Amino acid sequence: MSDSDKPATPPPEDDAPQTISESYKSLFPPHEQEKLDRLRDAGPDFMAKYDAIVVEGMDAFFNNEFAKAEQLFRQTYKEDPLCANAWGTLGSMKAMLSFAGGDIDFASNQLIYSAAFGNGVQPKGEGLVKGISNWWKGKTQRLTPFQIRALLVVAEAELLRANVLLIQDTMTGYLKAGLALRRGYNVYDRLQKYINEFKDDHGADANTVGGIHFGLGAIHVVTSILPPKIYAVLKALGYMHDRAVGMEHLQQCLKSRTLRSPLASLLLLAFHGILPSFAPLTMDRHIPLAEEVIAETLTMYPKSIIHLWLSGRVARLKRNTDDAIRIFNECVSHGVSLRESLPQLEHFALYDLAWAYMSRCDWMSAFHCFRRLEVESAWSKMFYTYAQAACLDMVAVDAAIDDDAARATLLEADPPELDSANVEAANGITLDCDDAADAARKEAMAALSPAKRVAVCRILARRLMQRSIGSVSFKVGGKIISIEQFVKRRLKHKLGFVKTPRQQELLDSPKDFSDEEAVKMCVGDD
């Protein structure tokens, strides 16, 4: 990206003005103030031209052409507030997926720029704070359709910036996010009341009205599912949510078939498709609603990897494992075009694909998914390595079910590494993560006798566990840390560094233990 293509860099956070209405003057030098003056009177033709550009960019994004969408908005972000906000939206998505510091900084700066751009084209003397103050005093100033649209950009930029600040997972970030969210909500509320006051004479186009519904719905729904410690900060700032109101706004945006309808469908599908994973008793209520959204959305964007991934999760929740595997594999094939820009979307599909394979006891296919994730993903390397070892352990258990020699190999106390033939066979199993290596690995495993397969899987699993326990991962948030603590505990038991109470009891017992007790000692229990 050339210097001329980069958004204006806002002042440092500590020295930044307290409001966007003050900061836009510092973001736009005097020679650009004339541009803002001209844009205040922009008419329907100008809006239609750049609305079409945003639609084209959105179609590119949901057709998995992220680079094309990014290039389109990079070329036009200085010409229209909506295009500036569209580029900031792409940046915020990238930041929330990668957690990379550079992506977070870029998204935050671009959103500040787009909010300042939208506020800069408001009527002179009608800054954001003053405009809200005048509204409550009953002094409503009529706005042009372009100014209403630009004010919506301000609200959306604040909403997105709040989301970017939340992923920093710091108390300072929570406070800044709360303030940004409150500013954004105030603008949305002002726009909604403006529309209601002037009714059919408000002048806003359908895309703007749909955007107001989307913003109000997103704020209410997202804040209703935030962790208690984050919501406590928002509540202290005076913000209260109403999930039912938020869902109604999102449904209105979805049915309007306007610019932000795909985003509303994405949020609705995420809510109805992910929440039942954590609250199974709500599945009967959420799954039918998710299926309605899927039916409507995939007709517009049948190749959208995000929508396909969420529909695959819904299929898995319904226990349609074959459909889930087919959909997740389709996501992975579409994800090839996003590997350079948004590889995390493919990784989401790979992760859920692995669990779908495991539900069918296809351990080697699940192993391949986790192997790719360990190599390609920045998430917990420890967990992915441990998951590979667990899959190999289950391959050994499956091999020992109906074969006495294999069962004896599984239960024997001596490590299989003592047999050089076992080590040589294990060394012959490739651990590469491409599709050709996956096919070769499955063929090599199938060619081994059950007893030899058990020995080889035990050797490879132990190697993976030893590598996993010392790995350093990219940690974000308490969830990953708690997962890794669980993995470390299990690895210490499996590798014999720490004995569980049951294992210690079996070791101290003078009697010979049964096969069932021996299996417990090998596997370990908490």
Side-chain angles (χ1 to χ4, degrees), residues 364 428-430 432 434-447:
M364 290 307 298
I429 302 296
T430 177
D432 292 341
D434 56 86
D435 292 339
D438 178 44
R441 187 163 46 242
K442 291 178 179 177
E443 183 179 352
M445 281 290 190

Side-chain angles (χ1 to χ4, degrees), residues 88 131 134 153 170 202 205 220 265 275 278 286 325 333 346 350 360 365-366 368-369 402 413 433 477 495 504:
N134 287 340
V153 166
T170 64
H202 53 68
D205 63 352
H220 281 294
S265 71
L275 187 64
F278 304 97
H286 286 289
I325 290 175
S333 64
E346 184 182 5
L350 274 173
R360 293 183 56 185
S365 294
H368 174 60
C369 294
D402 298 320
C433 61
L495 296 175
Q504 195 62 49

